[in-house]
Amino acid sequence: MEFSLFYFSGDGSTTNRDKYRLLIEGAKFADRHGLAAVWIPERHFDAFGGLYPNPAVAGAAIAALTDNIQIRSGSVVMPLQDPLRVAEEWAMVDNLSQGRVGLSFAPGWHPNDFVLCPAKYADKKEIMWRDIQVFQRLWQGESIELIGGNGKSVSINTFPRPLQPQVPIWITSLSDESFIEAGKIGANILTSPLYQSLDEILRKITLYRQSLAQSGHDPQSGKVAMMIHTFIGNDLDVVRTKVKQPFKNYLKTHFDLVVRSAGDLRFSIDPNTMTARDLDDLLEFSFETYFNGKVLMGTPTYCRSIVDSLQQAGVDEVAALIDFGVEFDWVMESLDLLKDLNNVYTSNHHLKTLV
């Protein structure tokens, strides 16, 4: 089991000068203490996640400040991009980081994001799979034929050349279909426990490993990373007190975002008929549901039991989402305990290797 840091929910609407302090300091901490990676998302046009409109730009900043950790997108929304630009930008980060780039791709889901290219919304999944192939060809130095401004066909290569001959790829996945399709192309998996149980995750990972094998890939070569909200402390009541309001606020902004996504709700609630009390009751219920098993929040001993459960379900990496509104100093204290947890699993792995 590996551990990495995942960023997503930073409030992009604030005007303070230290918006990226947790991103920078967290990345430096992860780099010093043997964590596997830092994941940076792509989010547009909303305060929720709005600190991160371009993971390549943030990745370049992290590349200059670190030496060891992998720098990953979590995720590039491929239908919002041109694969030429994705290949160029991330090859640049690959060079700046001395070959430490990894990319997760997603099809996108919020219709407002697609103001960047509205025609792609209907076929976003098909476009993602197609453009991943184009991106891989460009990364490996192949040229592709395109039409230039004069209407003539032109052969295009992207520069700079990356240091890694093949970039590690993940697919951001929740559905059975995406787990299976990721297996077909030999990609890794990035997923989340928020909308699925451990039994469902185990079943989907089994489908994924079967798909890898059926497509000629080593079924154990694929890695499954689990994005999970994380805050560790030595006293459970103190942890609950510190995370409760920030996490409820996080759930509310997520709820608001889902409501605005043209009815793509995962729960049968009419937001137009909800009172403020109804909303608070929903958030209270959601917090308790998540706090009891769907997040990595609690004492080191309790969190270790959650990680063991994830490991038994076939998860290879805990991608600890740390920026959901808890105070900076508290998050850094929590990272000290996450580092200790990482050391436990690293030590266990070394012992098994020796045996």
Side-chain angles (χ1 to χ4, degrees):
M1 181 66 78
E2 293 189 306
F3 292 79
S4 55
L5 298 186
F6 199 104
Y7 292 85
F8 190 90
S9 62
D11 181 1
S13 67
T14 60
T15 56
N16 68 62
R17 296 176 64 88
D18 291 326
K19 291 184 186 67
Y20 296 100
R21 185 182 178 198
L22 185 57
L23 174 69
I24 297 302
E25 294 305 321
K28 291 194 293 191
F29 182 95
D31 196 57
R32 285 195 306 271
H33 294 290
L35 275 63
V38 170
W39 302 82
I40 314 150
E42 177 186 337
R43 276 294 306 129
H44 298 284
F45 317 128
D46 198 276
F48 179 63
L51 279 179
Y52 306 109
N54 190 323
V57 172
I62 291 170
L65 298 168
T66 59
D67 298 306
N68 306 301
I69 51 169
Q70 198 167 51
I71 299 165
R72 300 182 190 153
S73 66
S75 310
V76 168
V77 183
M78 192 53 125
L80 301 182
Q81 310 294 340
D82 188 314
L84 288 163
R85 292 293 286 148
V86 178
E88 286 179 332
E89 290 177 3
W90 283 98
M92 193 173 177
V93 182
D94 201 52
N95 278 275
L96 289 167
S97 65
Q98 298 298 310
R100 292 185 280 129
V101 159
L103 294 175
S104 190
F105 293 105
W109 62 284
H110 202 291
N112 291 3
D113 294 355
F114 281 79
V115 295
L116 292 166
C117 41
K120 290 184 177 180
Y121 183 70
D123 300 318
K124 55 189 180 293
K125 290 183 180 178
E126 294 82 356
I127 290 168
M128 179 190 76
W129 295 113
R130 180 198 71 197
D131 283 354
I132 287 172
Q133 290 182 310
V134 175
F135 162 80
Q136 287 177 306
R137 288 171 55 199
L138 292 165
W139 188 276
Q140 291 162 21
E142 293 183 36
S143 59
I144 60 173
E145 294 295 317
L146 295 166
I147 303 300
N150 57 6
K152 295 180 180 178
S153 179
V154 59
S155 182
I156 293 293
N157 295 85
T158 55
F159 300 94
R161 299 296 313 126
L163 298 185
Q164 297 180 94
Q166 289 193 323
V167 65
I169 284 179
W170 282 256
I171 303 297
T172 304
S173 305
L174 278 176
S175 67
D176 288 13
E177 175 197 14
S178 55
F179 273 77
I180 292 167
E181 292 297 319
K184 287 180 182 177
I185 67 168
N188 302 308
I189 293 281
L190 172 63
T191 191
S192 162
L194 290 187
Y195 300 123
Q196 48 189 348
S197 68
L198 279 177
D199 285 343
E200 287 177 296
I201 291 163
L202 175 59
R203 181 182 61 77
K204 290 173 186 177
I205 291 174
T206 302
L207 291 174
Y208 166 62
R209 304 253 178 240
Q210 290 171 348
S211 178
L212 283 166
Q214 289 165 2
S215 303
H217 307 289
D218 176 358
Q220 297 310 311
S221 66
K223 301 298 182 186
V224 178
M226 177 69 70
M227 183 212 81
I228 184 165
H229 295 77
T230 300
F231 188 86
I232 309 175
N234 288 314
D235 183 299
L236 182 62
D237 291 334
V238 174
V239 168
R240 176 188 286 271
T241 301
K242 287 179 175 178
V243 302
K244 185 171 185 178
Q245 197 55 50
F247 195 66
K248 281 176 66 176
N249 292 342
Y250 169 88
L251 290 170
K252 182 181 184 301
T253 53
H254 184 65
F255 177 72
D256 291 345
L257 186 63
V258 172
V259 165
R260 288 199 302 277
S261 70
D264 184 22
L265 288 170
R266 294 179 180 271
F267 30 80
S268 54
I269 294 165
D270 182 358
N272 297 317
T273 62
M274 287 186 74
T275 65
R277 176 64 186 272
D278 290 337
L279 177 59
D280 194 64
D281 287 346
L282 172 65
L283 294 174
E284 188 74 24
F285 173 77
S286 298
F287 171 76
E288 293 300 332
T289 302
Y290 287 130
F291 192 75
N292 294 301
K294 284 187 172 290
V295 291
L296 196 63
M297 295 182 191
T299 64
T301 301
Y302 172 74
C303 289
R304 187 170 174 180
S305 72
I306 296 289
V307 174
D308 286 343
S309 299
L310 292 173
Q311 197 165 33
Q312 288 165 12
V315 174
D316 304 292
E317 177 178 318
V318 169
L321 195 160
I322 60 171
D323 68 331
F324 55 94
V326 178
E327 288 187 24
F328 174 86
D329 289 340
W330 293 349
V331 176
M332 296 306 292
E333 289 171 9
S334 168
L335 287 184
D336 259 329
L337 297 174
L338 183 68
K339 169 202 71 179
D340 295 341
L341 200 60
N342 177 60
N343 291 341
V344 167
Y345 286 87
T346 303
S347 300
N348 288 350
H349 176 72
H350 287 160
L351 283 172
K352 288 176 185 174
T353 305
L354 289 171
V355 170

